[in-house]
Every structure is written in C-alpha cells, then in structure tokens.
Amino acid sequence: MTMQVSDVIAPAAAKRLGDMKLSVVMMRDILLKTMFRKNLDMVTDLSEALCIPIPVVQELIDMSRDQRLMEATGTLNANNGNEMGYQLTDAGKSRALDALAQSEYFGAMPVPLDVYREQVKRQSIRNIMVTRQQLTGAMGHLILPDDLLGQLGPAVSAGRSILMYGPPGNGKSSISNGIRDALGDQVFVPRAIEYAGQVITVFDPIVHVPSYEEADDPNALRRRATYDRRYVKCERPTVVTGGELNLSMLDLVYNPTAKTYQAPLQLKSTGGIFIVDDLGRQAEPPQALVNRWIVPLEESKDILALQSGEKFEVPFDTLVVFSTNFHPNEIFDQAALRRIFFKIKIDGPNQANFLKIFAMVAKKKGMTLNEDALIHLLKVKYPTIDNVYANYQPNFLVDQMVAICNFEGLPLQMRPDLIDRAWANMFVKDEHIVK
C-alpha cells in the first residue's frame, strides 16, 4: 500500500476513560501533578494541558473526588463559561507530592507503546511513494548526473537503508537533505509514550516541526480536536548526526532527577529520516555503529533498556541514510554491507556539469564569467590535479575571488591571476616544515 499526504490516518481521540488504555492510577496521578504544578482548576484548562477530551478529564476528576483527593470550589467562573472550579484537598496535595517524588512528569498524557505501534504502521515511511517529479523538485538546485535520481528514487520509495559514498565535497549531505525535502507530508508524533508505567518523552521541538494546524490561534483547538491531541502533527522528522554520533546516543536517556526518560535519536526520527553524515569520522568504529543498526534494519524493530535492565521492543520505521567519504570495503565487512539495502556512489561532476555549477554560483554571487579566466582554470590549473572536479570547488573559488576583490577595492571580477590566488587556498602543498 502506498499513500499520499491525505492518506495518513489520524489517531482518534478517546471518548471515555477506558479508551485511554493506560493505568487509571497513572492517569489520576498525572492529573493531580498537573493541577499541583500548573495551578489549574478548570476542566477546559486541564483538558488542554493533559491533551485529552473534556469528558475523559471529567471522569478522572469524578474519580478523584470519590477518593477525597479533589473537591469542587463551589464557585462558577464566568470567564470560563460558568465552569465549576476544582482544587486539591490536603490528601490530594499529599498524593501529588508522593507522585512527583516517583516521577516529575506531568502534562500531556502519554500514549501506550502498543497503541503507538499501530499509529506507526498507519504512517510508515515504507508506505509512501516518492515520484521522480518530487525528487527533482526537492533537488532542482543541485546539478546532478542524469542517472543519479534514477538510483535514489527507488531507494527512497522503498524506505530502506541507503549508503552514499564517494570523494568529499560532492554533495552527499545536500542530497540527503533533498531526500528529506522530497517526502513533504506529515505524521503524528506522540508527546510521550508509556511502557511498564515509565514515561518516555518523544516530541522534541529541535527535531519535530509542527504543521500549521498546530498554530496557537483561536481556531486551533477546534482543529486539533479532530484527532488525539496527545500527538503533534508534524512534518516527517529528520535527525542529522555527524562526527559527534556515539553508541550511547542510541540508548534511552534517563533523567535521574525527574525520573523520566527521553527517547533516543532513532526513536525521535520514526516515520522520517536518520542521516549519519561523515561516517568514519566518529569516535566509534563505523563497523560498531552499523552493527548497532543490524537488528533494526532487518526486523523493523529496535530494542531499548530501562534503568532496571528490562529490555523492550519499539518500532523502527526510519529511512537510514549513511554518508561517507571512505570506500565501503574499507570500513565495513561484507555482512554489514549486505544489510544496507542500497549503495550509491556519488562521484564528482564531469567538466560540463562543473561548468554549469560554476556559472550558477558566479551568477548567484554577482560575478560575471570571464572566458580567459575559465580557460586558465580548465587548461592550466585542473591538469595539475588530473582534472578531478568536485562540487564544492566552484563555490570555494568564487568566494575566494569575491573576498580578494573586496579586499583590493576592485569591482567583482574574474581574472586568471585571481583564479591563481583563489586556487592557492584550495589545496595545501606537501612540504616539510622545519621545526
């Protein structure tokens, strides 16, 4: 089954307490903690804070009143549609403090892991279809070999792992970002999930970009109420890591003060893309990093561990893009390579594409092309490096000439002598330095 943007099925909001599929004690305690920490006393405000419908909140309040943990204030608030106010009793405050000592989490009710699994299936990255037109539109600003999109398209549509390799400076990172932009639809990201009574926060404003429907305006609540507000409707997420990636970043992060967990990077990227840039530059060996991904890549599930040591499975629904300047045979064994579904070499441009990139960059920077300078570049300079072109070089050379012109007080221009000065900064000669 393939799907377009409108095909993603939204999670339905609970109609009654039993639909939540969470421990009643956990929900009651989150209600008490939220009232205590946020000083809320109205059902509508609590519904907004807990991200659950008003009837469900009212059931929790009624249950808490029966247990003498909460009481009505006896006054109607005219500013809130004559709502009855509620407050914690002394026993309620005591229970809220006890619950906060066990876990500082309050606010949005978590989504049970089993319920979240079903939503992941409904919006799986492997169910989308990316067309050539979408991919071309997302990468239209890049000058790419004619056959490259034909290789990338099936890889992206399959939602399987991709390894891009080749010489540095040829746009592997830009292509990775283009893949991200080509997806273009939305998924529902839980604010938090629950497993075995533990809360794991998932929504991260650094990673997740809410869609326009999440905007804070008078009509937003009405729109959000059409689906379970424990989720945030977002663009498909993208997590980008580079040389800083280590194995510990792929584990649950436990906050011993708050006694809550934060989802690891790959769980935050569920339904989207996880880009491992500059593979081979991390402190961890590339083989060790890929070994960590073997089970998730093959079985579409990951295994995480709580502080207690208990292990459990979470969905792994992520398009993993590895990017490296090394040849794959240098950093992986054949078993690891076999598990990476698509392997695409990204070479430098040929001379014709190099000139297209050079002309595009020069125009963007406001510099007129000069025939003598280009002939000097192609006939004198590039033969010294065996005519090996790279995508980064036009930008580098034009920026250098712009900097020189600005320093010398010259109008922006391209000359053979300026090409020489720019070229000198692009490479460092091998020479012995006397200490």
Side-chain angles (χ1 to χ4, degrees):
M1 181 189 73
T2 58
M3 63 185 177
Q4 302 300 321
V5 176
S6 59
D7 294 328
V8 174
I9 301 171
K15 294 182 179 179
R16 58 187 66 86
L17 200 57
D19 297 337
M20 298 287 291
K21 298 182 180 178
L22 286 168
S23 156
V24 174
V25 172
M26 171 183 251
M27 289 189 285
R28 181 206 65 193
D29 285 352
I30 291 176
L31 168 68
L32 299 178
K33 289 189 286 185
T34 303
M35 289 184 72
F36 185 82
R37 283 285 189 236
K38 302 191 77 169
N39 196 29
L40 300 177
D41 58 3
M42 295 292 163
V43 177
T44 50
D45 293 337
L46 286 165
S47 171
E48 186 73 10
L50 297 168
C51 300
I52 57 177
I54 287 174
V56 179
V57 177
Q58 190 64 57
E59 282 190 70
L60 283 172
I61 288 175
D62 292 343
M63 182 183 70
S64 299
R65 291 181 70 187
D66 289 343
Q67 296 173 358
R68 307 277 199 279
L69 300 173
M70 196 183 299
E71 61 188 6
T73 59
T75 57
L76 298 176
N77 190 320
N79 295 326
N80 284 278
N82 287 327
E83 272 191 61
M84 176 67 71
Y86 297 94
Q87 64 186 14
L88 298 179
T89 63
D90 288 342
K93 292 176 184 176
S94 178
R95 178 57 207 162
L97 288 169
D98 286 345
L100 285 165
Q102 295 173 37
S103 168
E104 274 282 344
Y105 184 83
F106 63 91
M109 287 288 178
V111 177
L113 178 56
D114 287 342
V115 174
Y116 176 51
R117 282 196 185 98
E118 294 305 310
Q119 183 60 32
V120 170
K121 290 178 185 177
R122 289 192 285 266
Q123 59 193 29
S124 174
I125 188 76
R126 296 190 181 185
N127 291 342
I128 67 168
M129 176 60 70
V130 175
T131 64
R132 179 178 286 272
Q133 184 178 9
Q134 285 173 296
L135 209 52
T136 302
M139 299 189 187
H141 61 295
L142 303 175
I143 305 296
L144 301 173
D146 293 336
D147 62 342
L148 184 56
L149 288 184
Q151 293 177 279
L152 284 171
V156 176
S157 289
R160 305 291 290 271
S161 53
I162 301 172
L163 171 64
M164 292 190 294
Y165 67 97
N170 284 311
K172 292 186 289 296
S173 299
S174 297
I175 292 169
S176 297
N177 292 332
I179 291 172
R180 172 197 65 196
D181 296 340
L183 297 180
D185 62 343
Q186 290 94 37
V187 293
F188 294 89
V189 178
R191 300 172 197 271
I193 58 177
E194 174 271 341
Y195 172 76
Q198 302 298 314
V199 177
I200 303 165
T201 58
V202 178
F203 177 77
D204 182 343
I206 296 175
V207 171
H208 301 113
V209 180
S211 71
Y212 69 92
E213 292 184 6
E214 294 293 329
D216 188 15
D217 62 58
N219 296 317
L221 180 58
R222 181 174 297 175
R223 284 202 300 267
R224 289 203 301 269
T226 60
Y227 58 82
D228 188 341
R229 289 183 287 119
R230 292 178 295 169
Y231 293 83
V232 183
K233 192 176 184 182
C234 299
E235 297 175 11
R236 287 192 179 268
T238 301
V239 171
V240 183
T241 64
E244 77 282 2
L245 178 64
N246 59 63
L247 289 173
S248 66
M249 295 167 70
L250 306 178
D251 295 331
L252 282 174
V253 179
Y254 182 68
N255 183 327
T257 303
K259 296 183 176 62
T260 57
Y261 293 87
Q262 186 178 97
L265 295 175
Q266 72 275 19
L267 187 54
K268 291 179 180 180
S269 69
T270 298
I273 304 178
F274 192 113
I275 298 173
V276 183
D277 210 356
D278 283 332
L279 190 64
R281 303 295 182 192
Q282 293 80 9
E284 309 275 1
Q287 184 72 49
L289 287 171
V290 170
N291 286 346
R292 170 62 180 80
W293 296 91
I294 285 176
V295 169
L297 289 174
E298 289 196 335
E299 301 184 19
S300 298
K301 64 183 181 184
D302 197 9
I303 299 173
L304 302 177
L306 299 174
Q307 281 291 105
S308 63
E310 180 182 355
K311 295 183 178 180
F312 63 102
E313 294 179 1
V314 294
F316 186 86
D317 187 70
T318 301
L319 172 61
V320 183
V321 180
F322 299 103
S323 172
T324 182
N325 298 332
F326 296 94
H327 192 282
N329 291 337
E330 296 176 11
I331 56 177
F332 300 128
D333 61 23
Q334 290 305 306
L337 280 176
R338 190 171 64 248
R339 290 171 167 89
I340 300 175
F341 208 68
F342 292 91
K343 292 166 276 288
I344 302 173
K345 187 176 183 183
I346 310 294
D347 271 324
N350 57 26
Q351 188 181 88
N353 279 343
F354 171 84
L355 287 172
K356 287 180 184 178
I357 298 169
F358 198 94
M360 185 174 68
V361 171
K363 181 179 180 181
K364 183 178 178 181
K365 306 284 185 179
M367 181 174 283
T368 304
L369 294 176
N370 176 273
E371 185 176 356
D372 290 340
L374 287 175
I375 291 174
H376 181 71
L377 180 63
L378 298 179
K379 300 297 185 183
V380 177
K381 307 310 291 185
Y382 269 98
T384 66
I385 58 168
D386 299 324
N387 295 312
V388 176
Y389 301 97
N391 283 310
Y392 80 92
Q393 292 165 352
N395 209 66
F396 186 95
L397 292 169
V398 172
D399 277 347
Q400 288 282 329
M401 286 187 282
V402 168
I404 293 167
C405 289
N406 288 339
F407 175 73
E408 302 289 359
L410 300 171
L412 292 186
Q413 57 190 283
M414 191 180 293
R415 303 191 314 232
D417 63 311
L418 297 183
I419 290 284
D420 286 338
R421 290 176 67 177
W423 185 272
N425 280 327
M426 197 157 65
F427 302 103
V428 177
K429 293 181 180 179
D430 289 330
E431 57 186 353
H432 179 69
I433 299 176
V434 180
K435 296 182 180 178

